[in-house]
């Protein structure tokens, strides 16, 4: 494991077999939908911002629990100490050639739900073998972009307020999981 001021990383934390099984189990072409982006007028498909096909995994599924455990460990080890107590549905994303997600954050300070909770920690799990696609890198910090390795099975945890992006995939297919841990609204 490795700490950075922006994120906590576990390189190759999940086995190749586990990653392949997750894709096989949870990515269903028939259920996949175009990813939506939260905008001023609600959620909508915005291809200039994001092109990703997604399937959703219930928060009580074992992989969701695993993702939550990574987030809790990173929260403690990195010293963020956010008050987090749950994870919502986890998203499996498929990025085909041209797929991307421009600079964004996963929450804002005012992004609070009806239960007065909000996303505090984001978790990304790289599922694809990096030899199976080109591009698609995960980057943090728009002012000083930092790329992270695309290692299969690698897990990255970072504060949901951190700006990040997924660079365009130029060939092949990139699969990843993304989960968001929630807690009482920031004060």
């Amino acid at each position: 494991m490795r700490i950075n001021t922006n994120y906590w990383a576990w390189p190759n934390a999940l086995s190749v077999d586990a990653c392949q099984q997750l894709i096989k189990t949870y990515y269903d072409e028939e259920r996949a939908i175009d990813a939506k982006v939260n905008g001023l007028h609600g959620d909508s498909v915005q291809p200039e911002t994001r092109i990703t096909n997604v399937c959703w995994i219930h928060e009580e599924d074992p992989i969701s629990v695993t993702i939550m455990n990574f987030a809790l460990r990173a929260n403690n080890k990195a010293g963020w100490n956010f008050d987090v107590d749950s994870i919502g549905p986890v998203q499996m994303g498929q990025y085909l050639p041209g797929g991307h997600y421009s600079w964004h954050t996963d929450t804002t300070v005012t992004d609070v739900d009806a239960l007065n909770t909000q996303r505090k920690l984001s978790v990304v799990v790289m599922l694809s073998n990096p030899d199976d696609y080109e591009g698609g890198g995960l980057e943090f910090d728009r002012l000083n972009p930092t790329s992270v390795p695309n290692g299969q099975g690698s897990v990255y945890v970072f504060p949901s307020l951190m700006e990040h992006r997924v660079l365009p995939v130029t060939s092949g297919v990139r699969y990843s999981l993304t989960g968001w841990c929630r807690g009482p609204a920031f004060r």
Side-chain angles (χ1 to χ4, degrees):
M1 80 192 107
R2 177 173 62 107
I3 183 67
N4 177 289
T5 56
N6 298 331
Y7 61 88
W8 190 272
W10 281 274
N12 311 106
L14 301 180
S15 71
V16 169
D17 288 343
C19 292
Q20 292 171 342
Q21 188 60 45
L22 287 165
I23 295 167
K24 183 178 175 182
T25 301
Y26 295 111
Y27 194 80
D28 181 349
E29 294 286 342
E30 307 236 345
R31 290 185 312 125
I33 58 172
D34 291 335
K36 295 182 179 179
V37 175
N38 188 349
L40 294 175
H41 306 290
D43 294 344
S44 63
V45 174
Q46 297 177 24
E48 67 283 354
T49 302
R50 183 179 192 190
I51 299 174
T52 316
N53 300 317
V54 297
C55 292
W56 293 93
I57 302 168
H58 195 274
E59 58 264 24
E60 293 178 7
D61 191 275
I63 190 58
S64 300
V65 174
T66 298
I67 287 172
M68 178 73 175
N69 287 332
F70 276 112
L72 292 173
R73 288 174 36 210
N75 191 35
N76 181 45
K77 290 181 178 290
W80 297 317
N81 299 316
F82 292 132
D83 185 3
V84 293
D85 55 22
S86 63
I87 189 167
V90 170
Q91 177 182 270
M92 175 163 295
Q94 178 199 54
Y95 292 79
L96 299 170
H100 70 281
Y101 199 165
S102 301
W103 288 110
H104 67 285
T105 63
D106 291 338
T107 194
T108 63
V109 173
T110 58
D111 186 16
V112 179
D113 67 11
L115 300 174
N116 200 38
T117 70
Q118 66 189 125
R119 293 175 175 176
K120 293 191 171 179
L121 291 172
S122 299
V123 183
V124 173
V125 181
M126 304 295 201
L127 296 177
S128 296
N129 181 324
D131 294 336
D132 292 344
Y133 65 99
E134 292 183 21
L138 174 62
E139 288 189 339
F140 295 105
D141 189 1
R142 182 192 306 237
L143 297 177
N144 186 23
T146 303
S147 294
V148 299
N150 286 342
Q152 188 172 23
S154 295
V155 178
Y156 298 96
V157 181
F158 53 96
S160 296
L161 290 165
M162 175 159 299
E163 201 169 28
H164 58 286
R165 71 176 173 179
V166 176
L167 294 167
V169 170
T170 56
S171 67
V173 181
R174 174 193 188 268
Y175 289 95
S176 61
L177 289 175
T178 306
W180 302 274
C181 298
R182 303 184 71 88
F186 288 112
R187 298 177 193 211

